[in-house]
Amino acid sequence: MKAGKDDNRIISLFLKRDEDAIRLTRELYGSRLRSIALRVCGDERTAEECENDTYLEAWNRIPPHEPGGYLFPFLAKIVRAKALNRVKQEDAGKRRTEIVELSDELAGCISSKDSVESVFEARETADELNAFIRSLPTQKRNIFLRRYWYMDSIKKIAEDLGMSESKVKSVLFRLRNKLAQRLEK
Amino acid sequence: MKGNEFKVLEQLNDIDDDLLMSAEKTPRKLSPAPVYGIAAAVIVSVIALAVFNPFKRPGTPADPENKGNDPVVAGNDVITQIPAGEPAPGFEFLPEAPVEKKVLYAAAKDANGQNEEVPNRGNFYIAAPLCHEITKEEYKDCLFAVELSFYHTYDELYKELHDKEEALYRSKISEYDRMFDEWQKQITSNDPRFTEGKSIDEYPESVHAFGWPEYYGYTPEDFWSRGSNYLYVGLMIMYDDFNNYLKDKMPEDEYNELMAAHKEYLELIDELDGSRTKIRELTKNVHTDEVERLKALGLDVKLEEREDGWTSISGVLTPEQISDFPASSKYGYLIIWQGHDNAINE
């Protein structure tokens, strides 16, 4: 519960426009946010810039937005989006192959068309994704999110979960097929 | 994918917050037993919170059409009270509760925090805010609106299915996969896009893990022209072709045996990862029996059932009933405080 109380305190500081909000956010979540950015962009300096941009965006968005007790996911989504944007802005040849591969892995499951319809489809897809992930046993759910949201390497996931790399790959393969099947319905 | 390489990764940004938090806190090197326990607990908890969450139900205090009484904030943390003698709107079981007592709700949907440990069989945990509030003198005559999460309800069934899946993989499916690899190599051996002698592991994971169509000698256009914009259907077409290859290569009885094993394997995977029909039925039986047992012991609890068959248990309990909860030796329990949308966190 400690984090929850700290979250409430920080959010109230944001709401009061007190700059201590940013200092406390950095103290509590800075390293985790930088770590997410680093896994996406692979560059320490860029990751640090993404982290700082995240504090600024949080400052601009709270208020009116109030993330409730979920301050970290709110910040994590911002930093991940910023890091992905930075990767997109780079020359195609310089892009991290890992990120391109991750995107390719999911390409068969999730439509990525740019169209008016796809705006609505994207919302439906997000709902379906949430439902799909919630339906998974804990370990498989964590493997999926660690790989495709936090962008951890297969090796890191395997080490953390005490599994072989091939087992992790096998689980991801099956999960992608199941996700594709679900989205196809 | 060219031109919008990261759209799919960006779409994942809309994942629910609680899912992200739980994945970030992934424990290191869990043994199989806690994994089953945690999987069972999290799924039951998620279903309970997602389905029986009063915020999402018509007729709750959050519903603008609802004419019920506004809750009164009591205390300075997370308590909300429904006035004595008046049923809390949105909860069918509440009119059955003793009317002379107040019913207390948690004020925020995250008031229960995260439970990091799994209670063993015969044990129960009380969510932290609830555990704190039930000891307060001013609430000793009140009722607390709770939900019960169960642990270890289907550990054995899950393990049985999982073991069966592993055994089937070792005995039959590994051979199916080996022949699949062999077929892949035949398809790609004359393809100049693949360097001779290069191991499959040297290609990007997207190639050897997902089955990127080019690897199998197909182009996306092959799949598009055969009826779908989704690569998954293409993957199925590819499997059809592989099965025809198998049929030509193997004696009919062996082929039929292998295909039957493969079908059984897919059904097992589906049960474990998707439909969970047997697990759902078992969970419902456990909840039904537990409601009867707890009612017989004087607890005001009720089975909640949603359209797809998943169940949960809710109720209104006194502080004593919570602190002395009569846990069965068969299961572990987490007693969660129900949230209330109109409450105020201070």
Side-chain angles (χ1 to χ4, degrees):
Chain A
M1 293 303 294
K2 185 175 179 298
K5 284 184 179 174
D6 287 342
D7 281 358
N8 287 338
R9 185 175 161 216
I10 293 170
I11 290 164
S12 69
L13 291 171
F14 271 116
L15 293 171
K16 292 175 191 167
R17 316 307 291 157
D18 185 334
E19 290 183 10
D20 268 350
I22 292 177
R23 180 181 60 78
L24 288 172
T25 304
R26 187 193 300 276
E27 281 176 18
L28 194 61
Y29 296 127
S31 63
R32 288 157 75 185
L33 295 173
R34 198 160 51 251
S35 168
I36 290 172
L38 184 60
R39 270 174 267 163
V40 176
C41 62
D43 177 71
E44 296 269 2
R45 187 171 172 179
T46 308
E48 196 174 329
E49 289 171 3
C50 291
E51 182 200 345
N52 289 329
D53 289 348
T54 298
Y55 301 138
L56 179 63
E57 184 157 333
W59 180 261
N60 290 333
R61 285 170 63 177
I62 310 173
H65 185 81
E66 283 190 54
Y70 290 118
L71 180 59
F72 176 70
F74 170 73
L75 299 167
K77 286 177 180 178
I78 295 174
V79 80
R80 181 180 183 270
K82 289 194 175 299
L84 273 173
N85 273 337
R86 292 294 292 263
V87 176
K88 273 200 296 190
Q89 287 163 10
E90 292 174 354
D91 291 339
K94 294 179 183 173
R95 285 176 187 162
R96 297 190 70 217
T97 54
E98 294 95 322
I99 301 301
V100 177
E101 286 171 18
L102 273 179
S103 201
D104 283 352
E105 283 179 24
L106 286 175
C109 308
I110 304 173
S111 168
S112 61
K113 290 177 290 184
D114 274 318
S115 67
V116 176
E117 290 81 5
S118 71
V119 174
F120 299 98
E121 287 173 3
R123 187 61 254 166
E124 287 179 2
T125 302
D127 291 342
E128 273 297 308
L129 272 170
N130 273 308
F132 168 75
I133 293 168
R134 283 193 187 283
S135 75
L136 300 174
T138 306
Q139 191 181 52
K140 288 179 182 173
R141 176 197 303 175
N142 288 338
I143 290 173
F144 187 89
L145 288 173
R146 290 278 302 269
R147 182 65 174 152
Y148 297 120
W149 205 95
Y150 290 99
M151 301 185 190
D152 274 334
S153 67
I154 297 280
K155 186 169 185 287
K156 177 77 167 57
I157 297 169
E159 282 174 0
D160 282 358
L161 297 176
M163 302 166 73
S164 68
E165 287 185 45
S166 62
K167 180 69 179 173
V168 174
K169 285 180 184 176
S170 165
V171 168
L172 287 169
F173 172 68
R174 290 181 198 170
L175 290 179
R176 285 194 302 271
N177 283 351
K178 288 190 75 66
L179 174 60
Q181 194 172 23
R182 180 168 183 143
L183 294 176
E184 179 72 10
K185 284 178 183 173
Chain B
M1 289 297 296
K2 301 305 173 198
N4 54 4
E5 280 97 334
F6 305 116
K7 270 278 186 283
V8 288
L9 291 175
E10 286 167 347
Q11 279 187 285
L12 271 173
N13 229 30
D14 288 324
I15 293 297
D16 287 346
D17 292 344
D18 58 330
L19 294 172
L20 291 184
M21 290 295 281
S22 65
E24 209 221 10
K25 291 182 176 177
T26 304
R28 296 178 69 86
K29 296 188 177 179
L30 284 178
S31 64
V35 167
Y36 299 141
I38 291 169
V42 169
I43 287 167
V44 169
S45 300
V46 163
I47 289 165
L49 289 171
V51 176
F52 303 111
N53 185 341
F55 315 144
K56 296 180 179 175
R57 301 176 72 186
T60 65
D63 187 341
E65 295 301 312
N66 187 283
K67 303 301 180 190
N69 294 295
D70 284 334
V72 178
V73 175
N76 60 1
D77 194 4
V78 289
I79 299 289
T80 297
Q81 297 183 355
I82 302 298
E86 299 184 25
F91 290 89
E92 292 176 12
F93 58 84
L94 283 176
E96 299 166 13
V99 293
E100 69 275 11
K101 292 192 173 184
K102 295 175 181 177
V103 179
L104 305 183
Y105 291 84
K109 64 179 180 179
D110 59 334
N112 286 299
Q114 296 209 357
N115 196 53
E116 303 264 342
E117 295 182 64
V118 175
N120 291 326
R121 292 175 196 270
N123 291 342
F124 65 94
Y125 290 154
I126 304 170
L130 181 60
C131 192
H132 179 250
E133 299 298 332
I134 59 174
T135 61
K136 289 186 175 174
E137 179 66 19
E138 63 261 42
Y139 301 138
K140 68 183 174 59
D141 293 325
C142 295
L143 295 170
F144 286 82
V146 299
E147 291 163 355
L148 303 181
S149 286
F150 284 68
Y151 295 74
H152 311 299
T153 49
Y154 55 80
D155 290 5
E156 288 82 3
L157 174 60
Y158 192 90
K159 186 172 188 314
E160 179 192 326
L161 294 169
H162 190 266
D163 289 349
K164 201 170 175 182
E165 178 212 334
E166 295 282 350
L168 198 55
Y169 186 86
R170 281 195 300 271
S171 64
K172 299 281 185 188
I173 307 306
S174 55
E175 175 64 9
Y176 180 96
D177 285 353
R178 189 194 64 74
M179 295 181 78
F180 191 79
D181 287 344
E182 188 179 286
W183 175 69
Q184 288 173 6
K185 284 174 188 165
Q186 286 185 21
I187 287 178
T188 57
S189 60
N190 296 321
D191 190 326
R193 289 172 296 185
F194 297 91
T195 311
E196 192 174 351
K198 190 172 178 179
S199 159
I200 186 170
D201 288 330
E202 293 176 58
Y203 290 101
E205 190 187 341
S206 56
V207 170
H208 64 78
F210 180 69
W212 196 240
E214 287 92 336
Y215 180 71
Y216 302 104
Y218 295 88
T219 66
E221 287 73 22
D222 292 333
F223 293 158
W224 306 159
S225 66
R226 289 166 80 166
S228 174
N229 284 340
Y230 282 91
L231 291 180
Y232 177 73
V233 171
L235 203 63
M236 291 302 98
I237 291 168
M238 183 181 71
Y239 273 112
D240 283 347
D241 289 352
F242 170 61
N243 290 341
N244 288 332
Y245 160 85
L246 274 184
K247 203 170 187 175
D248 291 340
K249 194 175 176 65
M250 302 172 76
E252 189 175 353
D253 54 344
E254 278 184 37
Y255 170 79
N256 290 336
E257 191 181 341
L258 185 60
M259 295 310 289
H262 191 247
K263 183 170 179 288
E264 184 185 357
Y265 182 74
L266 294 180
E267 286 170 353
L268 272 169
I269 296 288
D270 187 50
E271 172 62 23
L272 284 165
D273 294 347
S275 68
R276 306 170 75 81
T277 308
K278 292 177 183 172
I279 290 170
R280 189 169 57 221
E281 287 171 358
L282 179 65
T283 303
K284 183 179 177 180
N285 291 340
V286 166
H287 286 166
T288 304
D289 291 347
E290 277 291 280
V291 164
E292 290 307 310
R293 184 181 73 83
L294 294 170
K295 273 185 171 177
L297 294 171
L299 276 67
D300 188 0
V301 293
K302 183 182 179 182
L303 182 74
E304 303 274 10
E305 192 168 2
R306 74 180 197 191
E307 286 181 1
D308 63 6
W310 286 101
T311 55
S312 179
I313 295 178
S314 59
V316 283
L317 304 180
T318 66
E320 294 74 24
Q321 287 172 329
I322 294 169
S323 56
D324 299 329
F325 185 78
S328 160
S329 59
K330 296 179 188 172
Y331 317 113
Y333 303 79
L334 173 65
I335 305 176
I336 300 170
W337 201 359
Q338 285 191 23
H340 196 300
D341 199 31
N342 283 5
I344 300 170
N345 252 332
E346 293 186 351

